Amino acid sequence: CKSAINVVGCVCLSRSSVRAIFSSSKAAVSKPRKCASVVYTAAASLAVGGGLCAVPFKQVENLSHDSLIRRAASLVTDSSSTFLSQTTLALIDAITEYSKAVHTLIALQRRYLASLGKLTPAEEDSVWQVIIGQRAEINDRQDDCKRLESTWINVVKLCETAAEAAYSSGAEHASITMSSNIQVALSQVKEAQKLSQDADKKLAETKVLEVQRMAQQAASSEEEEIPEAYLRED
């Protein structure tokens, strides 16, 4: 109830203030032009304050619709730039973590291949458990990259739209700044993706090497077993 009374009181006060302002503006027709300008500015500021956003104005010429649109465009580009920087940082971190996980798997597989034929069955099983766990981590990291990349692409499109809208509204500086931020984000993500692609390439090479070594190991085992089988046939 007290909140409702306060709201009603504020509305009544605002209406009274507006009536007082316009009454004083009528009475001030014969007064100096400077006073009339101040009264008009105050009335316009109060009217804007009752809407979406209270914008302080110091000069009458700044109250045009074009000026308000340019200010709004600047606010949109600023918030879009923040959105872009946050998603770009998150995506780069995800790609970096994915690349680290891939390089860790490459090291594990190469270490396993180097000790192939020298491990006991228990040791070999233990190594494979570690490799399987690392592959699962890579899959998780890859899912994070895909999720963040999807969000990042949508944010880039949003920023491009904001830049176009700012330019068409006359906020050229905001549009140029937004376009520059987009180019920086694209460049940073591209560099991070190059690192992950290089890691994927090395992983593929390691897998090929693994297949070759496993085939050689299998062939070597068969050659060692042939004499024994031949003797058993005799």
Side-chain angles (χ1 to χ4, degrees), residues 120-138:
T120 64
E123 290 174 339
E124 186 172 351
D125 182 69
S126 178
V127 172
W128 269 107
Q129 290 300 322
V130 175
I131 291 176
I132 291 173
Q134 189 63 29
R135 287 176 177 174
E137 181 179 350
I138 288 176

Side-chain angles (χ1 to χ4, degrees), residues 16 25 37-38 42 67 84 95 101 184 193 196:
S16 300
S25 64
S37 176
V38 172
S67 177
L84 178 62
I95 294 174
V184 171
Q193 289 175 336
S196 67

Side-chain angles (χ1 to χ4, degrees), residues 216-230:
Q216 292 174 357
Q217 183 68 20
S220 177
S221 298
E222 290 178 358
E223 290 177 358
E224 292 177 356
E225 293 175 358
I226 288 175
E228 297 179 0
Y230 180 77

Side-chain angles (χ1 to χ4, degrees), residues 103-132 134-135 206-218 221:
H103 282 293
T104 300
L105 177 61
I106 292 172
L108 289 172
Q109 288 184 330
R110 288 182 176 178
R111 188 177 303 176
Y112 168 72
L113 293 176
S115 59
L116 195 62
K118 303 176 184 179
L119 300 175
T120 64
E123 290 174 339
E124 186 172 351
D125 182 69
S126 178
V127 172
W128 269 107
Q129 290 300 322
V130 175
I131 291 176
I132 291 173
Q134 189 63 29
R135 287 176 177 174
T206 303
K207 288 182 178 179
V208 172
L209 179 62
E210 180 182 353
V211 172
Q212 293 175 348
R213 291 294 302 274
M214 294 294 288
Q216 292 174 357
Q217 183 68 20
S221 298

